[in-house]
Structures are given as structure tokens and as C-alpha cells.
Amino acid sequence: MSTILEVQNLKKYFKTPRGTLHAVDDVSFKIEKGTTLGVVGESGCGKSTLGRTILQLLDSTDGKIIFEGEDVTHADRKTLSRLRRHMQIIFQDPFSSLNPRMTVSETIMEPLIIQKIMCKKDMLKETERLMDTVGLARRLTNSYPHELDGGRRQRIGIARALALNPKFIVCDEPVSALDVSIQAQVLNLMQDLKNDRKLTYIFITHDLSVVKYISDEICVMYLGQVVEKCKADELFEKPLHPYTKALLSAIPIPDIHAKKERIILQGEITSPINPKPGCRFAARCIYANEECSQPQKLEDVSNEHYVSCHRVYEINENILNSKEESV
Amino acid sequence: MQSNEKEVLLSVKDLKVIYTTDGCMVHAVNNVSFDLNKGETLGLVGETGAGKTTIAKTILRILPDPPAKVLNGQVYFEGENILQIPEAKMRKIRGNKISMIFQDPMTALNPIFVVGDQIAEVILLHENISRKEAEIKTMQILEMVGIPGERYGEYPHQFSGGMKQRVIIAMALACNPSLLLADEPTTALDVTIQAQVLELMAELKEKLNMAMIMITHDLGVVADICDKVAVVYAGEIVEVGTKEDIFDRTKHPYTVGLFGSLPSLNMTEKRLKPINGMMPDPMDLPQGCNFSPRCPYAIDACREKDIEFTEVSPGHFVRCIRAEEVK
């Protein structure tokens, strides 16, 4: 396997009247070809900004984005146009991300027209093929978005993202606006496409059960920073960061016999404007002490399980120690 | 639960509600019947457009007429059919004995009044006390939902989403209602905040011995907080029973489909089992069982006539002729 995308110390700050908003603050990761990286976090943690900054829909403040070995951090228009063939995005809201004046086929065909890679006849054929791929009936070719329900609209968004046969897709909450029965259809479709076309996804979501289903690796974000990163199964089996623990315990489980030991977090997410150095979760963390006001880094605590917490060894004494013995 | 608590508080019988638009009839609610005992929580589960909110609004008599019209049915609250009583009398019940929490805390509050006055208004309307006393009572209620009383004079925009939802809950509970209708009270909130709000609601319900109808699409929330569950599909209740009936002895194919669509956290298989197709157009419902076009168990008899509600075990009703074969 080879690395398709590498992000190094990526930062995206926004200037606001009240100070600098640290939307994405020093995020680094690598994604292997053909895998899915899940990015989870609550609203306002910077996960969408991260996705958009990687695709250069937003200009990064600092850091590097390396796509297939090429530094594309501040690519010019020409390079970007070439990159767009390989990097695409599926947006969250299928109701506002489609142009209401364009028919289904016009929407799906638009990337092909812009990139001028085939003649008109081939484009029409390609559009039909794409509609088949994502499960849109051909009779909808000339329908407008307002005639369709959310599930079908999201399929248009997926077809458009696939039109140029990209290698890498940022999926920004692609199923959040859909009902569960439709959500399951779309998730299965995305999984099939990934296997058939060897796609690489960054899957951004706030829904932890969805992220577990679709991801190979997961990053948990809190206020612009990655607090924990590891293999998907491992995250759910042994979360190590206090925030991840609380987040996992807060999910209502549709099983009435499940044992629930809920960690209820006090307070709410603090402001990302001019954050203090040190752990940003400390204000809500039951384990926080004075040490936590010192800056901290994501470190590998066991077998590529990265955690950013001063007290990670103390808190998880039994898990981490027993692991070392067995190794 | 003690036997003296098993007193029926609310009884909905054969409720039928339509919306008329441009001469078309939309069957929003069809023959819905259920009972709710004092102090009990009923979960009303279903997807977008199933008619859940319409049921709640009918109980509170706040449906806009036109376009909505209650064609048939009775709603007995404390033994009285509240669909028949004069509006002046209904106004005394609304907000007093029955109150409602709306889905979106961002739009349910008036942005130009301070939150305290918005809560005090409810108290002044229903109780014969002075303004000063109402203010004191409001502060107590704010404290009860975990907001410091001194925030009485703040405007809605000064509160975060979770805090606004607490204000809404405070407003709904201001007059100690015996029935609370909660319409997706946590859908707009992040999971950690959702956990806080759900815990608060469960605690207050216990304390005030209040009955609750919890409208939600999240089976996890249902497992958490409800005693009884009614599954709504295309305006009909397709299955109703205790939480154990629905989660452990699922009988209706739609309920089975809902569970299959959810990516679970302790899932072993790598593929979801979605329900095929889409929800039928409520303007053009299929013959016989509404779910038959999507149902893997459907046979010709399902499409012939309307399906009766049958009791498969005491208190567990299913609207399916093949319920015994469903696995």
C-alpha cells in the first residue's frame, strides 16, 4: 500500500472581530490508498474545515498537503484544475448543494464539460452509466432537484463526485440529512463504490456508529485538534482519551439490554477563538490537573494508537500496562 | 410500576388527519389509536413524513386548519374528548396540563425577549399570581433545568444550543404539566449535549410524575428513555407495545427493517440491510398495507384490503397479516 495523501501540521485560522479562530490547529495524518479515514467530532470542532482545506476550497494558514507525493499546498489554478480530477467532495446537504436550475444530467455532466475530456456523445453515455452506478433511474435524466427526495439528491451528489473517476473523495457528512432506511442504502452504495473503484475516502461525520461502519482508521477531533487516532475497531474497544470515552458513552444504543455506564460531560465546548495553550478539553475533563495547561502533542502510546493527553498512562493504567506485558 | 399508577391519562382513538393542497388530499394520519398511562413514556418512532409531529399537534390542537383537517377520531385527556371542547377551554389546558417541546431550539424562542420573561409568560397565563412571584418561580425552574437563575435577563442568542433546549424544557415544565409532548427534543444537539438533556428529562419526568410522548427517529433514544413504543409508517401505527416487545420480539417487517438499517457499534457483519425503495407518496398510498411495496414478506393478500391491528401478545399490537412468520 502507498500513501495517497499526507497532511503535515495543517492549520486554518479565521480572523474574526473577537480574535483568531483556530478552526484547524496543527493536524497531521497520512491516508493509505484504498482506505477510509473517519473524522469524528461535534459541531464546531473543525472537521468540515479540515476537509475543505485539504481540497483547497479554503486556503490553509500553515502546514503542508501532499497528494501522491506532490506538494499541493498552495497550488495555482492550473494545478488545481488538474487535481480536481483526482480529488472530489460530496457535500452534507443534498438540498442546498445542487443547482436548482440544472437537471440531473446537467449536474452530473458539469465536471466532464469543465475538464473537456470527452465529446458530447460520450458525455451523455457516461452520464447514463454514472446514473446506473449510483442507482438513479434513467427516467430522472431531465428532472430537477426539487422533484426528488433527499436520498436521490444525495445520489446525484455522489454521481457528480464520481464523474471524473477520482482517486480520493472527501465525504462531508454525506448521510446526516437522510432517514435511517435511506442512509443505509447510501452507505452500502458508498462502500461498494470504494471496493469497485479502489477509492480513498475521508469520511467526516458526527455519527459514531456510521464512522465505525465505514472507516478503517478514525481521528477524533476536539476544537480543531486531533485528540485520538487509531484503527476503527480499536477506538471502540479501548478508547484512551477522556473525550473519546465520554463521546462513546454518550451514544444512545438501540439495545435495551446494553449496559450503560454513561459519562455525562459537564459544560459545553469552549470557544475556538484565541484558545489557551494546553489541552483544550481540560475545562470539561474529570481528570484535568495543573499539568494539563502545558502544551501537548499527539503521541503513539501503543501500536499506532495516538493520543494527545498528559495523563493517558495514569488514566488507562490497566489497559496500557497489560498490553506492554503481552508484547 | 405500581398498580395505582396504571391510570389512563390520554387515549387517542381512530385519529384521521388530512392536509389539502391544491385540491389534493394528503393522508397524514390514518386510524391512529393508542393509550398512555399516567407517568408513562411513549416513544413515537418513524422517519421523516411518517406523521409523528402531526399526531402530537393534533393532540394539542395546534394544527393549522386549513390546510390540515381532523376527519375522524377522539382524543380523551383525563376522560374528556379534547377535540370537542371550546377553544377557550383548550387554551387553559395547553401549556398548563399538556405542553410541548419543539424540535429546533434555535427557532422556538423569541429572539427579542429575554428568556426569563418568555417562561414567566406561561406562568402568568395559567396561574393567578403576581409578576414578582412569577419571576421567582421562573428562576426556580431555570435552576431546576441547570441554568443559573441570574441568566433570567439574557436573550436567546446568548445561550448555546443545549442551553436553549433547557430553556424550552423549563418553559414546557413551568406549570407542572401531566403530559409532555417532546418533538425530537435532542435531534439538533451534539451527542454529549444530548446525553445531558436526556438525563435531565428522565430525572424531571420521575420527579414530576409526568407522562411523556417522545417523538424521535432515533431508536437509541427510545431504548434509553421510553416505556412503550409505537412505530409509525406512512401515517399509521404499524406496531405498538412495551419497549421489550419492540426491541426483543419485533413483529412488523418495517420495524425489523429499521433495526437492520442502523449501523450498530458492536456489529460483526460488514454490510447493512437497508429497506428497499422509498416511503410511499402520502397523496397516493398503495392499496392494502402501506409497507407492502417495500416489504420482503409481502404476498397478494397484503395488497387487497387494509390490514387490521392484531394483538400478538397482551398489549403488543401489529398491523401485519404475516407477523408470526417475521424474523
Side-chain angles (χ1 to χ4, degrees):
Chain A
M1 276 206 286
S2 59
T3 305
I4 184 162
L5 180 87
E6 187 174 351
V7 171
Q8 294 173 351
N9 309 93
L10 191 68
K11 289 181 186 162
K12 175 67 196 170
Y13 296 167
F14 293 100
K15 288 233 160 59
T16 71
R18 285 188 289 151
T20 311
L21 190 152
H22 296 226
V24 175
D25 211 352
D26 207 0
V27 170
S28 306
F29 55 78
K30 282 181 190 175
I31 310 176
E32 302 296 322
K33 215 172 184 145
T35 63
T36 300
L37 174 74
V39 179
V40 275
E42 298 181 88
S43 36
C45 73
K47 49 192 195 307
S48 290
T49 309
L50 174 68
R52 286 169 194 220
T53 311
I54 290 170
L55 289 188
Q56 341 256 307
L57 293 173
L58 293 169
D59 218 8
S60 54
T61 309
D62 195 14
K64 266 189 183 169
I65 304 157
I66 296 161
F67 182 72
E68 294 197 306
E70 183 187 349
D71 185 349
V72 297
T73 318
H74 297 287
D76 54 25
R77 272 187 81 94
K78 221 171 132 194
T79 327
L80 265 184
S81 159
R82 178 168 54 81
L83 281 176
R84 293 274 180 259
R85 274 189 217 180
H86 306 301
M87 306 167 94
Q88 284 289 329
I89 183 165
I90 299 169
F91 289 102
Q92 170 166 13
D93 182 0
F95 295 88
S96 61
S97 63
L98 298 174
N99 186 336
R101 294 176 180 232
M102 285 166 81
T103 64
V104 172
S105 64
E106 282 167 351
T107 304
I108 298 174
M109 218 190 297
E110 200 185 15
L112 298 170
I113 297 171
I114 292 170
Q115 293 283 348
K116 301 189 189 87
I117 43 176
M118 50 179 81
C119 69
K120 182 93 197 202
K121 217 168 111 195
D122 287 346
M123 274 187 214
L124 287 170
K125 242 189 233 154
E126 180 65 16
T127 308
E128 284 189 347
R129 207 179 53 79
L130 284 164
M131 288 177 70
D132 292 345
T133 315
V134 298
L136 280 168
R138 289 201 185 167
R139 68 185 156 79
L140 302 174
T141 311
N142 294 316
S143 305
Y144 285 91
H146 74 264
E147 299 172 66
L148 307 174
D149 56 81
R152 289 210 179 88
R153 284 190 224 197
Q154 199 53 291
R155 284 170 199 263
I156 301 175
I158 296 172
R160 179 173 61 176
L162 290 175
L164 296 166
N165 212 353
K167 297 171 188 159
F168 170 74
I169 303 180
V170 172
C171 313
D172 188 1
E173 304 253 16
V175 294
S176 312
L178 309 175
D179 273 318
V180 278
S181 71
I182 308 300
Q183 170 179 310
Q185 293 173 6
V186 173
L187 282 177
N188 276 346
L189 169 70
M190 295 185 64
Q191 198 73 301
D192 292 344
L193 290 170
K194 181 190 150 192
N195 295 337
D196 295 349
R197 299 179 168 224
K198 306 258 176 306
L199 293 172
T200 309
Y201 290 143
I202 285 189
F203 200 97
I204 297 167
T205 180
H206 67 278
D207 188 331
L208 287 143
S209 40
V210 167
V211 87
K212 177 174 189 213
Y213 170 71
I214 202 143
S215 315
D216 300 297
E217 258 198 313
I218 298 177
C219 281
V220 181
M221 283 185 77
Y222 190 80
L223 279 178
Q225 295 179 324
V226 174
V227 294
E228 184 159 4
K229 178 174 157 275
C230 65
K231 292 260 172 294
D233 296 336
E234 186 160 325
L235 186 82
F236 286 84
E237 272 162 32
K238 35 173 223 236
L240 298 180
H241 195 282
Y243 176 63
T244 317
K245 288 177 195 238
L247 197 61
L248 291 181
S249 81
I251 314 169
I253 302 166
D255 178 353
I256 51 174
H257 305 295
K259 268 186 270 157
K260 281 163 201 164
E261 285 167 30
R262 193 151 283 171
I263 307 165
I264 305 268
L265 284 179
Q266 296 305 313
E268 315 209 355
I269 200 159
T270 45
S271 166
I273 295 172
N274 297 335
K276 293 190 202 90
C279 176
R280 293 186 185 172
F281 181 61
R284 297 172 78 188
C285 181
I286 45 170
Y287 303 104
N289 62 11
E290 282 163 19
E291 228 187 330
C292 298
S293 58
Q294 299 303 316
Q296 40 202 304
K297 278 242 169 295
L298 208 56
E299 61 173 313
D300 191 348
V301 293
S302 77
N303 289 333
E304 307 211 344
H305 192 142
Y306 296 87
V307 182
S308 161
C309 176
H310 268 308
R311 304 194 61 196
V312 62
Y313 291 101
E314 289 167 65
I315 297 166
N316 301 293
E317 213 165 352
N318 15 11
I319 306 174
L320 288 173
N321 289 347
S322 63
K323 176 113 193 177
E324 273 159 27
E325 279 161 29
S326 66
V327 172
Chain B
M1 197 174 287
Q2 288 155 16
S3 59
N4 60 357
E5 284 181 11
K6 286 253 177 197
E7 200 180 322
V8 177
L9 177 74
L10 178 83
S11 177
V12 175
K13 291 210 173 359
D14 303 319
L15 199 64
K16 201 173 168 78
V17 182
I18 57 158
Y19 290 100
T20 34
T21 51
D22 303 330
C24 288
M25 266 219 298
V26 177
H27 299 270
V29 176
N30 297 311
N31 300 321
V32 162
S33 308
F34 61 86
D35 288 339
L36 184 66
N37 296 331
K38 276 195 180 151
E40 216 174 39
T41 302
L42 170 79
L44 219 48
V45 189
E47 297 178 84
T48 318
K52 312 181 292 286
T53 305
T54 308
I55 295 172
K57 288 188 172 173
T58 313
I59 295 169
L60 209 56
R61 278 183 44 184
I62 50 170
L63 275 176
D65 177 12
K69 202 153 187 63
V70 180
L71 278 193
N72 188 20
Q74 299 94 41
V75 176
Y76 292 98
F77 176 72
E78 294 181 334
E80 191 175 22
N81 184 1
I82 53 172
L83 292 186
Q84 298 293 339
I85 60 174
E87 178 58 31
K89 202 170 167 195
M90 187 65 209
R91 225 177 289 148
K92 292 221 169 74
I93 295 177
R94 205 183 283 138
N96 189 14
K97 285 182 173 167
I98 309 178
S99 59
M100 185 157 174
I101 298 176
F102 294 93
Q103 174 165 4
D104 186 357
M106 319 302 155
T107 56
L109 289 169
N110 190 329
I112 61 165
F113 290 106
V114 300
V115 296
D117 285 347
Q118 298 189 47
I119 300 169
E121 185 193 0
V122 184
I123 303 171
L124 285 169
L125 214 65
H126 292 289
E127 284 172 35
N128 196 10
I129 55 175
S130 73
R131 201 167 172 91
K132 198 83 214 130
E133 286 168 305
E135 274 177 27
I136 293 165
K137 197 167 171 206
T138 302
M139 288 192 195
Q140 287 166 351
I141 296 165
L142 281 173
E143 299 275 353
M144 185 174 78
V145 298
I147 299 175
E150 34 310 350
R151 298 195 70 178
Y152 183 101
E154 289 185 19
Y155 288 92
H157 74 265
Q158 293 170 286
F159 289 80
S160 65
M163 285 306 218
K164 273 188 217 161
Q165 197 58 294
R166 284 169 195 258
V167 173
I168 309 260
I169 293 171
M171 202 186 285
L173 299 183
C175 293
N176 284 343
S178 45
L179 173 64
L180 177 67
L181 309 171
D183 187 2
E184 307 251 12
T186 57
T187 307
L189 309 175
D190 278 317
V191 282
T192 57
I193 308 297
Q194 166 171 292
Q196 291 175 0
V197 171
L198 285 178
E199 198 194 49
L200 173 74
M201 289 180 74
E203 198 185 289
L204 293 175
K205 196 198 95 172
E206 199 66 26
K207 202 161 133 193
L208 307 172
N209 191 26
M210 177 175 67
M212 185 154 79
I213 296 183
M214 176 71 127
I215 298 174
T216 180
H217 65 273
D218 188 336
L219 287 161
V221 171
V222 172
D224 238 29
I225 205 165
C226 299
D227 306 308
K228 281 208 281 191
V229 186
V231 182
V232 190
Y233 182 77
E236 281 182 338
I237 292 183
V238 293
E239 182 165 7
V240 63
T242 61
K243 179 161 76 176
E244 288 74 21
D245 287 334
I246 304 294
F247 281 78
D248 292 345
R249 299 179 285 277
T250 317
K251 285 288 176 218
H252 197 281
Y254 174 64
T255 320
V256 174
L258 272 186
F259 281 112
S261 302
L262 291 174
S264 113
L265 288 175
N266 37 20
M267 189 178 52
T268 40
E269 71 264 45
K270 268 288 163 207
R271 205 170 162 78
L272 300 172
K273 296 187 283 294
I275 306 170
N276 290 323
M278 316 266 168
M279 193 134 95
D281 181 354
M283 268 191 254
D284 181 25
L285 290 176
Q287 277 274 312
C289 171
N290 286 340
F291 187 60
S292 61
R294 301 173 76 182
C295 180
Y297 294 92
I299 50 172
D300 288 345
C302 298
R303 301 182 188 97
E304 275 160 14
K305 57 176 184 348
D306 286 349
I307 311 295
E308 294 289 318
F309 228 15
T310 39
E311 191 165 13
V312 288
S313 59
H316 184 186
F317 292 87
V318 183
R319 201 183 286 277
C320 177
I321 52 173
R322 301 190 67 193
E324 287 308 322
E325 298 155 65
V326 173
K327 291 227 167 54

